[in-house]
Amino acid sequence: MASLYVFVAVLCAASLTNAASLPGSNPCTWGPSYWCKSVSQAEECNSVDFCVEKQWRNSTAGLLGGDKCTQGPAYWCSGEDTISECGAEEYCARVATAAPTSTATEPLGQNKCTWGPAYWC
């Protein structure tokens, strides 16, 4: 039984001396989420060029709503410039031809079917 304690003690001592070589113990192996968090971390991991090229240059692209073309058809089809910017020519043309045309004879809100679920239910 004593030999088991000695073995465990030796194993623990060996693992403590090699703790720096354990996978993940070096934060620079954690990837761009660590490297590009700050300039000092990018310098520490020798990844400044990568962060400038891949992460920081288009920093708004990764943010929710940063790419306006992800905001949907209301944005895509709002004007000629946004239609071409988002590559939505085909979609906006299809929607424009499928959309019902409004008649000027009926005032807005006159038709009760357009009042929505609060009225219908």
Coordinates of all heavy atoms in Angstrom, one line a residue, residues 6-107:
V6 N 3.6 6.2 -2.8 CA 4.8 6.7 -3.4 C 4.6 6.9 -4.9 O 5.0 8.0 -5.4 CB 6.0 5.7 -3.1 CG1 7.2 6.2 -3.9 CG2 6.3 5.7 -1.7
F7 N 3.9 6.0 -5.5 CA 3.7 6.1 -7.0 C 2.8 7.3 -7.2 O 3.1 8.1 -8.2 CB 3.0 4.8 -7.5 CG 2.6 4.9 -8.9 CD1 3.5 4.9 -9.9 CD2 1.2 5.1 -9.3 CE1 3.1 5.0 -11.2 CE2 0.9 5.2 -10.6 CZ 1.8 5.1 -11.6
V8 N 1.7 7.5 -6.5 CA 0.9 8.7 -6.6 C 1.6 10.0 -6.4 O 1.4 11.0 -7.1 CB -0.4 8.5 -5.7 CG1 -1.2 9.8 -5.7 CG2 -1.2 7.4 -6.2
A9 N 2.4 10.0 -5.4 CA 3.2 11.2 -5.1 C 4.2 11.5 -6.2 O 4.3 12.7 -6.6 CB 4.0 11.0 -3.8
V10 N 4.8 10.5 -6.8 CA 5.8 10.7 -7.9 C 5.0 11.2 -9.1 O 5.4 12.1 -9.8 CB 6.6 9.5 -8.2 CG1 7.3 9.6 -9.5 CG2 7.5 9.1 -7.0
L11 N 3.8 10.6 -9.3 CA 3.0 11.0 -10.5 C 2.5 12.5 -10.3 O 2.6 13.2 -11.3 CB 1.8 10.1 -10.6 CG 0.9 10.2 -11.8 CD1 1.7 10.0 -13.1 CD2 -0.3 9.3 -11.7
C12 N 2.1 12.9 -9.2 CA 1.7 14.2 -8.9 C 2.8 15.2 -9.1 O 2.7 16.3 -9.7 CB 1.1 14.4 -7.5 SG -0.5 13.6 -7.3
A13 N 4.0 14.9 -8.6 CA 5.1 15.8 -8.7 C 5.5 15.9 -10.2 O 5.9 17.0 -10.6 CB 6.3 15.2 -7.9
A14 N 5.5 14.8 -10.9 CA 5.8 14.9 -12.3 C 4.8 15.7 -13.1 O 5.2 16.5 -14.0 CB 5.9 13.5 -12.9
S15 N 3.5 15.6 -12.8 CA 2.5 16.4 -13.5 C 2.6 17.9 -13.2 O 2.3 18.7 -14.0 CB 1.1 15.8 -13.2 OG 0.8 16.1 -11.8
L16 N 3.0 18.2 -12.0 CA 3.2 19.6 -11.6 C 4.4 20.2 -12.3 O 4.3 21.4 -12.7 CB 3.4 19.8 -10.1 CG 2.1 19.5 -9.2 CD1 2.5 19.6 -7.8 CD2 1.0 20.5 -9.6
T17 N 5.4 19.5 -12.6 CA 6.6 20.0 -13.3 C 6.3 20.2 -14.7 O 6.9 21.0 -15.4 CB 7.8 19.2 -13.1 OG1 7.6 17.8 -13.5 CG2 8.3 19.1 -11.6
N18 N 5.4 19.4 -15.3 CA 5.0 19.5 -16.7 C 3.7 20.2 -16.9 O 3.2 20.2 -18.0 CB 4.9 18.1 -17.3 CG 6.2 17.4 -17.3 OD1 7.3 18.0 -17.5 ND2 6.2 16.1 -17.2
A19 N 3.2 21.0 -16.0 CA 1.9 21.7 -16.1 C 2.0 22.7 -17.2 O 1.0 22.9 -17.9 CB 1.6 22.4 -14.8
A20 N 3.1 23.3 -17.5 CA 3.2 24.3 -18.6 C 3.1 23.6 -19.9 O 2.7 24.3 -20.9 CB 4.5 25.0 -18.5
S21 N 3.3 22.3 -20.0 CA 3.2 21.7 -21.3 C 1.9 21.0 -21.6 O 1.7 20.4 -22.6 CB 4.4 20.7 -21.5 OG 4.2 19.6 -20.5
L22 N 0.9 21.2 -20.7 CA -0.4 20.6 -20.8 C -1.1 21.3 -22.0 O -1.0 22.5 -22.1 CB -1.2 20.7 -19.6 CG -0.7 19.9 -18.4 CD1 -1.5 20.2 -17.1 CD2 -0.8 18.4 -18.7
P23 N -1.9 20.6 -22.8 CA -2.7 21.2 -23.8 C -3.6 22.3 -23.3 O -4.3 22.1 -22.3 CB -3.5 20.1 -24.4 CG -2.8 18.8 -24.0 CD -2.1 19.1 -22.7
G24 N -3.5 23.5 -23.9 CA -4.4 24.6 -23.4 C -3.8 25.4 -22.3 O -4.4 26.4 -22.0
S25 N -2.6 25.0 -21.8 CA -2.0 25.8 -20.8 C -1.4 27.1 -21.3 O -1.3 28.1 -20.6 CB -1.0 25.0 -20.0 OG 0.1 24.7 -20.9
N26 N -1.1 27.2 -22.6 CA -0.6 28.4 -23.2 C -1.8 29.1 -23.9 O -2.4 28.5 -24.8 CB 0.4 28.0 -24.3 CG 0.9 29.2 -25.0 OD1 0.5 30.3 -24.8 ND2 1.9 29.0 -25.9
P27 N -2.2 30.2 -23.4 CA -3.4 30.9 -23.9 C -3.3 31.3 -25.4 O -4.3 31.4 -26.1 CB -3.6 32.2 -23.1 CG -2.3 32.3 -22.3 CD -1.6 31.0 -22.3
C28 N -2.1 31.3 -25.9 CA -1.9 31.6 -27.4 C -2.4 30.4 -28.2 O -2.5 30.6 -29.4 CB -0.5 32.0 -27.7 SG 0.0 33.5 -27.0
T29 N -2.7 29.3 -27.6 CA -3.2 28.2 -28.4 C -4.7 28.2 -28.4 O -5.3 27.3 -29.0 CB -2.7 26.8 -27.8 OG1 -3.3 26.7 -26.5 CG2 -1.2 26.7 -27.8
W30 N -5.3 29.2 -27.8 CA -6.8 29.3 -27.7 C -7.4 29.8 -28.9 O -8.6 29.8 -29.1 CB -7.2 30.1 -26.5 CG -6.8 29.5 -25.2 CD1 -6.2 28.3 -24.9 CD2 -6.9 30.1 -23.9 NE1 -5.9 28.1 -23.6 CE2 -6.3 29.3 -22.9 CE3 -7.3 31.4 -23.5 CZ2 -6.3 29.6 -21.6 CZ3 -7.3 31.7 -22.1 CH2 -6.8 30.8 -21.2
G31 N -6.6 30.4 -29.8 CA -7.2 30.9 -31.1 C -7.5 32.4 -31.1 O -7.2 33.1 -30.2
P32 N -8.1 32.8 -32.2 CA -8.3 34.2 -32.5 C -9.2 34.9 -31.4 O -9.1 36.1 -31.2 CB -9.0 34.3 -33.8 CG -8.6 33.0 -34.5 CD -8.4 32.0 -33.4
S33 N -10.1 34.1 -30.8 CA -10.9 34.8 -29.7 C -10.1 35.3 -28.6 O -10.5 36.3 -27.9 CB -12.0 33.8 -29.2 OG -11.4 32.7 -28.6
Y34 N -8.9 34.7 -28.4 CA -8.0 35.2 -27.3 C -7.0 36.2 -28.0 O -6.8 37.3 -27.4 CB -7.2 34.0 -26.7 CG -6.2 34.5 -25.7 CD1 -6.6 34.9 -24.4 CD2 -4.9 34.6 -26.1 CE1 -5.6 35.4 -23.5 CE2 -3.9 35.1 -25.1 CZ -4.3 35.5 -23.9 OH -3.4 35.9 -23.0
W35 N -6.4 35.8 -29.1 CA -5.4 36.6 -29.7 C -5.9 38.0 -30.0 O -5.2 39.0 -29.7 CB -4.9 36.1 -31.1 CG -4.5 34.7 -31.1 CD1 -4.0 33.9 -30.1 CD2 -4.5 33.9 -32.3 NE1 -3.7 32.7 -30.6 CE2 -4.0 32.6 -31.9 CE3 -4.9 34.1 -33.6 CZ2 -3.9 31.6 -32.8 CZ3 -4.8 33.1 -34.5 CH2 -4.3 31.8 -34.1
C36 N -7.0 38.2 -30.5 CA -7.5 39.5 -31.0 C -8.4 40.2 -30.0 O -9.0 41.2 -30.4 CB -8.2 39.3 -32.3 SG -7.2 38.4 -33.6
K37 N -8.4 39.8 -28.8 CA -9.2 40.5 -27.8 C -8.6 41.8 -27.5 O -9.3 42.8 -27.2 CB -9.3 39.6 -26.5 CG -10.3 40.0 -25.6 CD -10.6 39.0 -24.5 CE -11.8 39.3 -23.8 NZ -12.3 38.2 -23.0
S38 N -7.3 41.9 -27.5 CA -6.6 43.2 -27.3 C -5.3 43.2 -28.0 O -4.8 42.2 -28.5 CB -6.4 43.4 -25.8 OG -5.4 42.5 -25.3
V39 N -4.8 44.4 -28.2 CA -3.5 44.6 -28.9 C -2.4 43.9 -28.1 O -1.5 43.2 -28.7 CB -3.2 46.1 -29.1 CG1 -1.8 46.3 -29.7 CG2 -4.2 46.7 -30.0
S40 N -2.4 44.0 -26.8 CA -1.4 43.4 -26.0 C -1.4 41.8 -26.1 O -0.3 41.2 -26.2 CB -1.5 43.8 -24.5 OG -2.7 43.3 -24.0
Q41 N -2.6 41.3 -26.2 CA -2.7 39.8 -26.4 C -2.2 39.4 -27.8 O -1.6 38.4 -28.0 CB -4.1 39.3 -26.1 CG -4.4 39.3 -24.6 CD -5.8 39.0 -24.2 OE1 -6.5 39.9 -23.7 NE2 -6.3 37.8 -24.5
A42 N -2.5 40.2 -28.8 CA -2.1 39.9 -30.1 C -0.6 40.0 -30.2 O 0.0 39.2 -30.9 CB -2.7 40.9 -31.1
E43 N 0.0 41.0 -29.5 CA 1.5 41.0 -29.5 C 2.1 39.9 -28.8 O 3.1 39.3 -29.2 CB 1.9 42.3 -28.9 CG 1.6 43.6 -29.7 CD 1.9 44.9 -29.0 OE1 2.0 44.9 -27.7 OE2 1.9 45.9 -29.7
E44 N 1.5 39.5 -27.7 CA 2.0 38.3 -26.9 C 2.0 37.1 -27.7 O 2.9 36.3 -27.6 CB 1.0 38.1 -25.7 CG 1.3 36.9 -24.9 CD 0.2 36.6 -23.9 OE1 -0.7 37.4 -23.7 OE2 0.2 35.5 -23.3
C45 N 1.0 36.9 -28.6 CA 0.9 35.7 -29.4 C 1.4 35.8 -30.8 O 1.2 34.9 -31.6 CB -0.6 35.2 -29.4 SG -1.2 34.8 -27.8
N46 N 2.1 36.9 -31.1 CA 2.6 37.2 -32.4 C 1.6 37.1 -33.5 O 1.8 36.4 -34.5 CB 3.8 36.3 -32.7 CG 5.0 36.5 -31.8 OD1 5.3 37.6 -31.4 ND2 5.6 35.4 -31.3
S47 N 0.4 37.6 -33.3 CA -0.7 37.5 -34.2 C -1.3 38.8 -34.6 O -2.5 38.9 -35.0 CB -1.8 36.6 -33.7 OG -2.3 37.1 -32.4
V48 N -0.6 39.9 -34.5 CA -1.1 41.3 -34.8 C -1.5 41.3 -36.2 O -2.6 41.8 -36.6 CB 0.0 42.4 -34.5 CG1 -0.5 43.7 -34.9 CG2 0.3 42.4 -33.0
D49 N -0.7 40.8 -37.2 CA -1.0 40.9 -38.6 C -2.3 40.1 -38.9 O -3.2 40.6 -39.6 CB 0.1 40.3 -39.4 CG 1.4 41.1 -39.4 OD1 1.2 42.4 -39.2 OD2 2.5 40.6 -39.7
F50 N -2.5 38.9 -38.2 CA -3.7 38.2 -38.4 C -4.9 39.0 -37.9 O -5.9 39.0 -38.6 CB -3.6 36.8 -37.7 CG -4.9 36.1 -37.7 CD1 -5.2 35.2 -38.8 CD2 -5.8 36.2 -36.7 CE1 -6.4 34.5 -38.8 CE2 -7.0 35.5 -36.7 CZ -7.3 34.7 -37.8
C51 N -4.8 39.5 -36.7 CA -5.9 40.2 -36.2 C -6.3 41.5 -37.0 O -7.5 41.7 -37.2 CB -5.6 40.6 -34.7 SG -5.4 39.2 -33.6
V52 N -5.3 42.2 -37.5 CA -5.6 43.3 -38.3 C -6.3 42.9 -39.6 O -7.3 43.5 -40.0 CB -4.3 44.1 -38.7 CG1 -4.5 45.1 -39.8 CG2 -3.8 44.8 -37.4
E53 N -5.8 41.8 -40.2 CA -6.3 41.4 -41.5 C -7.7 40.7 -41.4 O -8.6 41.0 -42.2 CB -5.3 40.3 -42.1 CG -5.8 39.7 -43.4 CD -5.6 40.7 -44.6 OE1 -4.8 41.6 -44.5 OE2 -6.4 40.5 -45.6
K54 N -7.9 39.9 -40.4 CA -9.1 39.0 -40.3 C -10.1 39.5 -39.3 O -11.3 39.2 -39.5 CB -8.7 37.6 -40.0 CG -7.7 37.0 -40.9 CD -8.3 36.7 -42.3 CE -7.3 35.9 -43.1 NZ -7.8 35.7 -44.5
Q55 N -9.7 40.2 -38.3 CA -10.7 40.5 -37.2 C -11.0 42.0 -37.1 O -12.1 42.3 -37.0 CB -10.1 40.0 -35.9 CG -9.9 38.5 -35.8 CD -11.2 37.7 -35.6 OE1 -12.1 38.1 -34.9 NE2 -11.2 36.5 -36.2
W56 N -10.0 42.8 -37.0 CA -10.2 44.2 -36.7 C -10.6 45.0 -37.9 O -11.2 46.0 -37.7 CB -9.0 44.8 -36.0 CG -8.6 44.1 -34.7 CD1 -9.5 43.4 -33.9 CD2 -7.3 44.0 -34.1 NE1 -8.8 43.0 -32.8 CE2 -7.5 43.3 -32.9 CE3 -6.1 44.5 -34.4 CZ2 -6.4 43.1 -32.0 CZ3 -5.0 44.2 -33.6 CH2 -5.2 43.5 -32.4
R57 N -10.2 44.7 -39.1 CA -10.5 45.5 -40.2 C -12.0 45.6 -40.4 O -12.5 46.7 -40.7 CB -9.9 44.9 -41.5 CG -10.1 45.7 -42.7 CD -9.5 45.2 -43.9 NE -8.1 45.2 -43.8 CZ -7.2 44.7 -44.6 NH1 -7.7 44.0 -45.6 NH2 -5.9 44.7 -44.4
N58 N -12.7 44.6 -40.4 CA -14.2 44.6 -40.5 C -14.9 44.3 -39.2 O -15.7 43.4 -39.1 CB -14.6 43.5 -41.6 CG -14.0 43.8 -42.9 OD1 -13.9 45.0 -43.3 ND2 -13.5 42.8 -43.6
S59 N -14.5 45.0 -38.2 CA -15.0 44.7 -36.9 C -16.5 44.8 -36.7 O -17.1 44.1 -35.9 CB -14.3 45.6 -35.8 OG -14.7 47.0 -36.1
T60 N -17.2 45.5 -37.6 CA -18.7 45.6 -37.5 C -19.3 44.4 -38.1 O -20.5 44.2 -37.9 CB -19.2 46.9 -38.1 OG1 -18.8 47.0 -39.4 CG2 -18.7 48.1 -37.3
A61 N -18.6 43.7 -39.0 CA -19.2 42.6 -39.8 C -19.7 41.5 -38.8 O -20.7 40.9 -39.1 CB -18.3 42.1 -40.8
G62 N -19.0 41.3 -37.7 CA -19.3 40.2 -36.8 C -20.4 40.6 -35.8 O -20.9 39.8 -35.1
L63 N -20.7 41.9 -35.7 CA -21.7 42.3 -34.8 C -23.1 42.1 -35.3 O -23.3 42.3 -36.5 CB -21.5 43.8 -34.5 CG -20.2 44.2 -33.9 CD1 -20.1 45.7 -33.7 CD2 -20.0 43.6 -32.5
L64 N -24.0 41.8 -34.5 CA -25.4 41.7 -34.9 C -25.9 43.0 -35.5 O -25.8 44.0 -34.9 CB -26.3 41.3 -33.7 CG -27.7 41.0 -33.9 CD1 -27.9 39.8 -34.9 CD2 -28.5 40.7 -32.7
G65 N -26.3 42.9 -36.7 CA -26.8 44.1 -37.5 C -25.7 44.9 -38.1 O -25.9 45.9 -38.8
G66 N -24.4 44.4 -37.9 CA -23.3 45.1 -38.5 C -23.3 45.1 -40.0 O -23.0 46.1 -40.7
D67 N -23.7 44.0 -40.6 CA -23.9 43.9 -42.1 C -25.4 44.2 -42.3 O -26.3 43.4 -42.0 CB -23.6 42.5 -42.5 CG -23.7 42.3 -44.0 OD1 -24.1 43.3 -44.7 OD2 -23.5 41.2 -44.5
K68 N -25.6 45.3 -42.9 CA -27.0 45.8 -43.1 C -27.8 44.9 -44.0 O -29.0 44.8 -44.0 CB -27.0 47.2 -43.7 CG -26.5 48.2 -42.7 CD -26.7 49.6 -43.2 CE -26.1 50.5 -42.1 NZ -26.9 51.7 -41.9
C69 N -27.1 44.1 -44.9 CA -27.8 43.2 -45.8 C -28.4 42.0 -45.0 O -29.1 41.2 -45.6 CB -26.9 42.7 -46.9 SG -26.4 44.0 -48.0
T70 N -28.1 41.9 -43.7 CA -28.7 40.8 -42.9 C -30.0 41.3 -42.3 O -30.7 40.6 -41.6 CB -27.8 40.3 -41.8 OG1 -27.5 41.4 -40.9 CG2 -26.5 39.7 -42.4
Q71 N -30.4 42.6 -42.5 CA -31.6 43.1 -41.9 C -32.9 42.8 -42.6 O -33.9 43.1 -42.1 CB -31.4 44.6 -41.8 CG -30.3 45.0 -40.9 CD -30.1 46.5 -40.8 OE1 -30.9 47.3 -41.3 NE2 -29.2 47.0 -40.0
G72 N -32.8 42.1 -43.8 CA -33.9 41.6 -44.4 C -34.5 42.4 -45.5 O -34.0 43.5 -45.9
P73 N -35.6 41.9 -46.1 CA -36.2 42.5 -47.3 C -36.6 44.0 -47.2 O -36.5 44.8 -48.2 CB -37.4 41.7 -47.6 CG -37.1 40.4 -46.9 CD -36.3 40.7 -45.8
A74 N -37.0 44.4 -46.0 CA -37.3 45.8 -45.8 C -36.1 46.7 -46.1 O -36.3 47.8 -46.7 CB -37.8 46.1 -44.4
Y75 N -34.9 46.3 -45.8 CA -33.7 47.0 -46.1 C -33.3 46.8 -47.6 O -33.0 47.7 -48.3 CB -32.6 46.7 -45.2 CG -31.3 47.4 -45.5 CD1 -31.1 48.8 -45.2 CD2 -30.3 46.8 -46.2 CE1 -30.0 49.5 -45.6 CE2 -29.1 47.5 -46.5 CZ -29.0 48.8 -46.2 OH -27.9 49.5 -46.6
W76 N -33.3 45.5 -48.0 CA -32.8 45.2 -49.3 C -33.5 46.0 -50.4 O -32.9 46.4 -51.3 CB -33.0 43.7 -49.6 CG -32.4 42.7 -48.7 CD1 -31.4 42.9 -47.8 CD2 -32.9 41.4 -48.5 NE1 -31.2 41.7 -47.1 CE2 -32.1 40.8 -47.5 CE3 -33.9 40.6 -49.1 CZ2 -32.2 39.5 -47.1 CZ3 -34.0 39.3 -48.7 CH2 -33.2 38.7 -47.7
C77 N -34.8 46.0 -50.3 CA -35.6 46.6 -51.4 C -35.9 48.1 -51.1 O -36.9 48.6 -51.7 CB -36.9 45.8 -51.6 SG -36.5 44.0 -51.9
S78 N -35.2 48.7 -50.2 CA -35.6 50.1 -49.9 C -35.1 51.1 -50.9 O -35.6 52.3 -50.9 CB -35.0 50.5 -48.5 OG -33.6 50.4 -48.5
G79 N -34.2 50.8 -51.8 CA -33.7 51.7 -52.8 C -32.8 51.0 -53.8 O -32.4 49.9 -53.5
E80 N -32.6 51.6 -54.9 CA -31.8 51.0 -56.0 C -30.4 50.7 -55.5 O -29.8 49.6 -55.8 CB -31.7 51.9 -57.2 CG -33.0 52.1 -57.9 CD -33.5 50.8 -58.5 OE1 -32.6 50.0 -59.0 OE2 -34.7 50.5 -58.5
D81 N -29.8 51.6 -54.7 CA -28.4 51.3 -54.2 C -28.4 50.1 -53.2 O -27.4 49.3 -53.3 CB -27.8 52.6 -53.5 CG -28.7 53.1 -52.4 OD1 -30.0 52.9 -52.4 OD2 -28.2 53.8 -51.5
T82 N -29.3 50.0 -52.4 CA -29.3 48.8 -51.4 C -29.7 47.5 -52.2 O -29.2 46.5 -51.8 CB -30.3 49.0 -50.3 OG1 -31.6 49.3 -50.8 CG2 -29.8 50.2 -49.4
I83 N -30.5 47.6 -53.2 CA -30.8 46.4 -54.0 C -29.5 45.8 -54.6 O -29.3 44.6 -54.4 CB -31.9 46.7 -55.1 CG1 -33.2 47.0 -54.4 CG2 -32.0 45.6 -56.0 CD1 -34.3 47.5 -55.4
S84 N -28.7 46.7 -55.2 CA -27.5 46.2 -55.8 C -26.4 45.9 -54.7 O -25.7 44.9 -54.9 CB -26.9 47.2 -56.8 OG -26.7 48.4 -56.2
E85 N -26.4 46.6 -53.6 CA -25.4 46.4 -52.6 C -25.6 45.0 -52.0 O -24.6 44.3 -51.7 CB -25.6 47.4 -51.5 CG -24.7 47.2 -50.2 CD -25.1 48.1 -49.1 OE1 -25.8 49.1 -49.3 OE2 -24.6 47.9 -48.0
C86 N -26.9 44.6 -51.8 CA -27.2 43.3 -51.1 C -27.4 42.2 -52.2 O -27.6 41.0 -51.8 CB -28.4 43.4 -50.3 SG -28.2 44.6 -48.9
G87 N -27.3 42.5 -53.4 CA -27.5 41.5 -54.5 C -28.9 40.9 -54.5 O -29.1 39.7 -54.7
A88 N -29.9 41.8 -54.3 CA -31.3 41.3 -54.1 C -32.1 41.7 -55.3 O -33.3 41.9 -55.2 CB -31.8 41.9 -52.9
E89 N -31.5 41.9 -56.5 CA -32.2 42.4 -57.7 C -33.4 41.4 -58.0 O -34.5 41.8 -58.2 CB -31.3 42.5 -58.9 CG -30.3 43.6 -58.8 CD -29.0 43.1 -58.1 OE1 -28.9 42.0 -57.6 OE2 -28.0 44.0 -58.0
E90 N -33.1 40.1 -58.1 CA -34.1 39.1 -58.4 C -35.2 39.1 -57.4 O -36.3 39.0 -57.7 CB -33.4 37.8 -58.6 CG -34.2 36.7 -59.2 CD -33.5 35.4 -59.4 OE1 -32.4 35.5 -59.9 OE2 -34.0 34.4 -58.9
Y91 N -34.8 39.1 -56.1 CA -35.8 39.0 -55.0 C -36.7 40.2 -55.1 O -37.9 40.0 -55.0 CB -35.1 38.9 -53.7 CG -36.1 38.9 -52.5 CD1 -36.8 37.7 -52.2 CD2 -36.4 40.1 -51.9 CE1 -37.7 37.7 -51.2 CE2 -37.3 40.1 -50.8 CZ -38.0 38.9 -50.5 OH -38.9 38.9 -49.5
C92 N -36.1 41.4 -55.1 CA -37.0 42.6 -55.0 C -37.9 42.7 -56.3 O -39.0 43.2 -56.2 CB -36.1 43.8 -54.9 SG -35.2 43.9 -53.3
A93 N -37.4 42.3 -57.4 CA -38.2 42.3 -58.6 C -39.4 41.3 -58.5 O -40.5 41.7 -58.9 CB -37.4 42.0 -59.9
R94 N -39.1 40.2 -58.0 CA -40.2 39.2 -57.8 C -41.2 39.6 -56.8 O -42.4 39.5 -57.0 CB -39.5 37.8 -57.3 CG -40.5 36.7 -57.3 CD -39.9 35.4 -56.9 NE -39.3 35.4 -55.6 CZ -38.0 35.2 -55.4 NH1 -37.2 35.0 -56.3 NH2 -37.6 35.2 -54.1
V95 N -40.8 40.2 -55.7 CA -41.7 40.7 -54.6 C -42.5 41.9 -55.2 O -43.7 42.0 -54.9 CB -40.9 41.1 -53.4 CG1 -41.8 41.8 -52.4 CG2 -40.3 39.8 -52.7
A96 N -41.9 42.7 -55.9 CA -42.6 43.9 -56.4 C -43.7 43.5 -57.4 O -44.8 44.1 -57.4 CB -41.6 44.9 -57.1
T97 N -43.5 42.5 -58.2 CA -44.5 42.0 -59.1 C -45.6 41.2 -58.4 O -46.7 41.2 -58.9 CB -43.9 41.2 -60.3 OG1 -43.2 40.1 -59.7 CG2 -43.0 42.0 -61.1
A98 N -45.3 40.6 -57.3 CA -46.2 39.8 -56.6 C -47.0 40.6 -55.6 O -48.1 40.1 -55.1 CB -45.5 38.6 -55.8
A99 N -46.6 41.7 -55.2 CA -47.2 42.6 -54.2 C -48.6 43.1 -54.8 O -48.6 43.5 -55.9 CB -46.4 43.7 -53.8
P100 N -49.6 43.0 -53.9 CA -50.9 43.6 -54.4 C -50.8 45.1 -54.6 O -50.1 45.8 -53.8 CB -51.9 43.2 -53.3 CG -51.0 43.0 -52.1 CD -49.7 42.5 -52.6
T101 N -51.4 45.6 -55.6 CA -51.4 47.0 -55.8 C -52.5 47.6 -55.0 O -53.6 47.1 -54.9 CB -51.6 47.4 -57.3 OG1 -52.8 46.8 -57.7 CG2 -50.4 46.8 -58.1
S102 N -52.2 48.8 -54.4 CA -53.3 49.4 -53.5 C -54.1 50.3 -54.4 O -53.7 50.8 -55.4 CB -52.6 50.3 -52.5 OG -51.9 51.3 -53.1
T103 N -55.4 50.4 -54.0 CA -56.3 51.2 -54.8 C -56.5 52.5 -54.0 O -56.7 52.5 -52.8 CB -57.6 50.5 -55.0 OG1 -58.2 50.2 -53.7 CG2 -57.5 49.2 -55.8
A104 N -56.5 53.6 -54.7 CA -56.6 54.9 -54.0 C -58.1 55.1 -53.6 O -58.4 56.1 -52.9 CB -56.2 56.0 -55.0
T105 N -59.0 54.3 -54.1 CA -60.4 54.5 -53.7 C -60.7 54.1 -52.3 O -61.7 54.7 -51.8 CB -61.3 53.7 -54.7 OG1 -61.0 52.3 -54.5 CG2 -61.1 54.1 -56.1
E106 N -60.0 53.2 -51.7 CA -60.3 52.8 -50.3 C -59.3 53.4 -49.4 O -58.1 53.2 -49.5 CB -60.1 51.3 -50.3 CG -60.6 50.7 -48.9 CD -60.5 49.2 -49.0 OE1 -61.5 48.6 -49.5 OE2 -59.6 48.6 -48.5
P107 N -59.7 54.2 -48.4 CA -58.8 54.9 -47.4 C -58.1 53.8 -46.6 O -58.6 52.7 -46.4 CB -59.7 55.7 -46.6 CG -61.0 55.8 -47.3 CD -61.1 54.6 -48.2

